[in-house]
Amino acid sequence: MLLALTTLLVPAFLAGQPCAELIEDQLVAWKASPEVLRAPGGPEGGAVYRIATSRIGVWLTYHQPRGTHHQSLFRTDSKETVRLDYLDGCRVARSESRNPAPAPDAFTDEMLRMALNESPRLVVYLWSPHSPLSVDGYHEIAAAAADLEVRFIAISDASADPSYRDATADASGIPKLARRPLGSTELLFRDLAVHTPAILVFAWGEASAPLPGFRLRDAYREYLRSIFERSGR
């Protein structure tokens, strides 16, 4: 679910927490945007929020583990993650770690930025050669996007075996440009990789929640049309 990061929302997940003003200042410094996604609690439980920023491919994560007053704020991009731990007395401990580099032929955040600069409407489709329905779904969503004259990009599951991916794509008529593995932090934080197949739709600066599962051309077309109509353009 998308929520607006406003002066009403920020206290909602910082309410009653120590260091709230300090964390709020850091969110501003890191250019937090009006999009907040509630995320799973993870192994430590507690509240986790993913916060988009003003830049594609840069995300913030707030975590307040269950049973403790300590809090953490993360800034993640394609190269590194910066972690700020807010400890007793609002003492801040900073650490940094390098993130794994995407495959050389991956679809990256820079490619996503370029695509969005070229077109205000974009459909991104994730498929896997290990999911036959996602292979079939490629042609369905590609046709639906073409019907609406919407920019369409297909990318493959980064965990798929490359040789099997290429063999499957050759047999199914999926072009080479649609075989680039997922290497975008933006798309990962928007949960596109949770399921294959899945689509994510961008429309005039806003992004939909991912839509998982196979659909036929007509169903995809109606879904896309409904998103663009809701955007009011």
Side-chain angles (χ1 to χ4, degrees):
M1 181 175 62
L2 297 180
L3 301 172
L5 183 59
T6 66
T7 55
L8 294 178
L9 175 65
V10 172
F13 65 77
L14 293 178
Q17 301 296 335
C19 316
E21 185 174 343
L22 192 63
I23 295 173
E24 191 171 347
D25 288 344
Q26 189 62 58
L27 291 174
V28 173
W30 275 345
K31 301 186 186 314
S33 85
E35 287 187 79
V36 177
L37 305 176
R38 183 65 186 265
E44 296 179 89
V48 179
Y49 293 90
R50 296 176 188 163
I51 306 163
T53 70
S54 60
R55 182 170 175 80
I56 292 289
V58 180
W59 278 74
L60 313 180
T61 305
Y62 168 82
H63 184 202
Q64 201 278 308
R66 184 183 296 115
T68 176
H69 290 299
H70 293 176
Q71 301 157 86
S72 298
L73 193 63
F74 304 80
R75 181 190 184 277
T76 302
D77 60 25
S78 61
K79 295 181 180 180
E80 68 174 4
T81 295
V82 177
R83 174 172 180 162
L84 302 179
D85 289 309
Y86 295 83
L87 308 175
D88 294 337
C90 292
R91 179 171 57 89
V92 181
R94 178 188 174 108
S95 59
E96 301 176 7
S97 59
R98 299 291 294 179
N99 295 327
D105 59 341
F107 181 83
T108 64
D109 289 315
E110 181 59 31
M111 295 175 182
L112 180 61
R113 282 192 288 268
M114 291 175 60
L116 289 170
N117 285 337
E118 293 169 0
S119 175
R121 300 189 303 167
L122 174 66
V123 178
V124 181
Y125 179 72
L126 179 69
W127 70 280
S128 169
H130 305 286
S131 170
L133 279 177
S134 76
V135 176
D136 294 340
Y138 168 82
H139 299 286
E140 302 295 331
I141 183 62
D147 289 344
L148 297 178
E149 299 181 336
V150 178
R151 177 77 181 272
F152 171 69
I153 292 174
I155 54 179
S156 67
D157 179 3
S159 66
D161 176 77
S163 59
Y164 182 63
R165 176 200 64 205
D166 288 342
T168 301
D170 287 341
S172 305
I174 296 178
K176 292 187 182 299
L177 200 59
R179 305 177 193 184
R180 292 172 294 181
L182 171 59
S184 162
T185 300
E186 183 75 21
L187 298 177
L188 287 170
F189 268 73
R190 290 189 180 279
D191 285 335
L192 181 64
V194 167
H195 186 276
T196 56
I199 67 170
L200 195 65
V201 184
F202 294 87
W204 293 284
E206 298 183 357
S208 72
L211 177 71
F214 170 84
R215 285 161 177 79
L216 294 174
R217 174 179 181 171
D218 289 349
Y220 274 132
R221 185 174 59 243
E222 291 310 307
Y223 174 74
L224 296 178
R225 182 178 286 122
S226 70
I227 288 180
F228 300 137
E229 287 177 351
R230 284 201 303 271
S231 69
R233 303 193 190 187

